[in-house]
C-alpha cells in the first residue's frame, strides 16, 4: 500500500524522483485523494495522454462548474486564462496556434541568435566574480528577450518581469501566501497594458510580435480578447519557462562537475546537453487534463470530469524509455523527452528556450575557466506544476 501522495510535501519537492519511481513500478495510474486527481507516471501513458482528445486542456470550464463567479464573463482573470491557447482544445487551439506559429518558426528564432548573444554578453559583462544566478542572469535574460521580440519599450522591461513573476505563482500553483491577490492584480494590469499596445499597432503597424498579432487580429484570425490573452501568455511562457530551464540546468551541471567539464572539452555537445537537462530536471513537472468522457487505462476507470496529472518529470525517468534514466549524460542521443510536452500542445516557444540556454552555456564556458556554486546548494520551489530552483550563488574565475 502506497502512502498518501502529497506533491507539495517538502521531501517530495526536494527529491521527487524516488516517489515517482515507486508510482511507476507499483501504481502507474494512481488515484491521489489529496489532489483529487489521477497521477500518470509511465512514459507510454503520459505521451499517449498528451495525444488523447478525450483529455481536455480547458482549465476555465471546471472552475465555472464549481463556482459560477468563475465564468469567463464574470471574472476578468478567468476571461484571460480561458483564452490562452494552452488552455483551449481544438478547433480554437488549432486556430490560435496557426496564427502565432510563424513568429516561432525555426528560421524566425534563428534570426534572434545575435540579439540573444548581445543580451547575454551585456548581462555577463556587468557581473561580479560572485553573483546570484537566478536574479542576475536567468530571470532578466528571457524577460528582456521576449520583451524585445514583442516590441516592448526598454523602459518597461522591469515591469514586465515583475508581472510575469507574480503571474507564475498562480499558474504553477505555488504555495506562496497571498499569491491569488498578487497574481490577479498583475494579470489585470498586464492585460490592459498589452491591449493598449495591440490597439496602437492597429494604426501604426510594427515589425515585432505584437505587430504580427495585431495583423492576425485585423485579418479576423484572432479576436481582440484572444490577441490580448495570448500576448500575456507569450510573455509569461517565454519568461518563466526559460528562467526555470536556465536555473535548473546550471544547478544540475554544477552538481555534476564531470559533465560540465565534458561540455567545456566538447562544446559541440551543448545542443544535446540542453535536451538532457530538459529530461533530467525540466521546468515543467506535470500538466493537468480533465476527462471529457470515460477513459480506461491499465484497468483503471477515469470518469468524466475527473482531473488527470500527466507527470512529465516521472515519464522522463522511465527506465522503459531511457537507459540509466537517473544518470545525467550530456551526450544522450536519442532523447525523446517530454520536457516541452507532446502532441497538439507541444511548447510553441521551445526553439527560443533552447537557443537562450545554449548561448548562456556557451558564453559561460568560453569566458570562465571555473564555474562553481557559492554558498548553499540550490533549493527547489514548492510548485505543483512547475519545477524550478530558488536563487543560488555562482562563483566565476
Amino acid at each position: 500500500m502506497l502512502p498518501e501522495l502529497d506533491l507539495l510535501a517538502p521531501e517530495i519537492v526536494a527529491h521527487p524522483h524516488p516517489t515517482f519511481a515507486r508510482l511507476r513500478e507499483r501504481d502507474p495510474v494512481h488515484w491521489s485523494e489529496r489532489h483529487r486527481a489521477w497521477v500518470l507516471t509511465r512514459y507510454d501513458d503520459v505521451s499517449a495522454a498528451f495525444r488523447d482528445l478525450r483529455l481536455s486542456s480547458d482549465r476555465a470550464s471546471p472552475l465555472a462548474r464549481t463556482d459560477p463567479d468563475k465564468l469567463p464573463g464574470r471574472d476578468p482573470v478567468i476571461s484571460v486564462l480561458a483564452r490562452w491557447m494552452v488552455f483551449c482544445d481544438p478547433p480554437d487551439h488549432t486556430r490560435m496556434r496557426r496564427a502565432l506559429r510563424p513568429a516561432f518558426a525555426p528560421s524566425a528564432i534563428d534570426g534572434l541568435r545575435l540579439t540573444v548573444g548581445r543580451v547575454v554578453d551585456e548581462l555577463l559583462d556587468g557581473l561580479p566574480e560572485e553573483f546570484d544566478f537566478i536574479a542576475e542572469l536567468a530571470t532578466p535574460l528571457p524577460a528582456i528577450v521576449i520583451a524585445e521580440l514583442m516590441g516592448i519599450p526598454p523602459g518597461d522591461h522591469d515591469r514586465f518581469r515583475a508581472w510575469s513573476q507574480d503571474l507564475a505563482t498562480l499558474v504553477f500553483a505555488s504555495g506562496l501566501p497571498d499569491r491569488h491577490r498578487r497574481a490577479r492584480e498583475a494579470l489585470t494590469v498586464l492585460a490592459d497594458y498589452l491591449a493598449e499596445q495591440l490597439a496602437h499597432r492597429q494604426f501604426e503597424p510594427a515589425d515585432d510580435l505584437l505587430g504580427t498579432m495585431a495583423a492576425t487580429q485585423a485579418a479576423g484570425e484572432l479576436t481582440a480578447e484572444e490577441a490580448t490573452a495570448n500576448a500575456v501568455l507569450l510573455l509569461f511562457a517565454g519568461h518563466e519557462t526559460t528562467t526555470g530551464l536556465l536555473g535548473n540546468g546550471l544547478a544540475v551541471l554544477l552538481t555534476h562537475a564531470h559533465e560540465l567539464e565534458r561540455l567545456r572539452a566538447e562544446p559541440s555537445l551543448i545542443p544535446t546537453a540542453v535536451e538532457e537537462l530538459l529530461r533530467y530536471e525540466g521546468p515543467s513537472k506535470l500538466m493537468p487534463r480533465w476527462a471529457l468522457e470515460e477513459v480506461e487505462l491499465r484497468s483503471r476507470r477515469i470518469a468524466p470530469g475527473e482531473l488527470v496529472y500527466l507527470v512529465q518529470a516521472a515519464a522522463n525517468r522511465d527506465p522503459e524509455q531511457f537507459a540509466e534514466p537517473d544518470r545525467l549524460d550530456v551526450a544522450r542521443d536519442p532523447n525523446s523527452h517530454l520536457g516541452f510536452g507532446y502532441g497538439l500542445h507541444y511548447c510553441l516557444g521551445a526553439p527560443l528556450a533552447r537557443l537562450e540556454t545554449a548561448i548562456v552555456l556557451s558564453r559561460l564556458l568560453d569566458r570562465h575557466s571555473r564555474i562553481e556554486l557559492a554558498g548553499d546548494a540550490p533549493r527547489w520551489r514548492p510548485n505543483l506544476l512547475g519545477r524550478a530552483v530558488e536563487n543560488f550563488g555562482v562563483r566565476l574565475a
Side-chain angles (χ1 to χ4, degrees), residues 202-247:
Q202 295 285 353
F203 300 100
E204 293 187 20
D207 186 21
D208 54 40
L209 182 52
L210 287 178
T212 299
M213 297 181 74
T216 60
Q217 178 186 332
E221 298 174 39
L222 295 174
T223 67
E225 294 80 9
E226 289 171 344
T228 298
N230 283 285
V232 173
L233 168 64
L234 293 175
L235 162 71
F236 164 75
H239 175 202
E240 290 302 322
T241 302
T242 308
T243 294
L245 175 55
L246 288 166

Side-chain angles (χ1 to χ4, degrees), residues 66-89:
T66 58
D67 183 354
D69 288 335
K70 298 297 185 184
L71 285 167
R74 297 184 186 180
D75 187 316
V77 172
I78 300 302
S79 292
V80 173
L81 297 182
R83 293 181 174 91
W84 280 14
M85 63 180 175
V86 295
F87 295 165
C88 291
D89 298 324

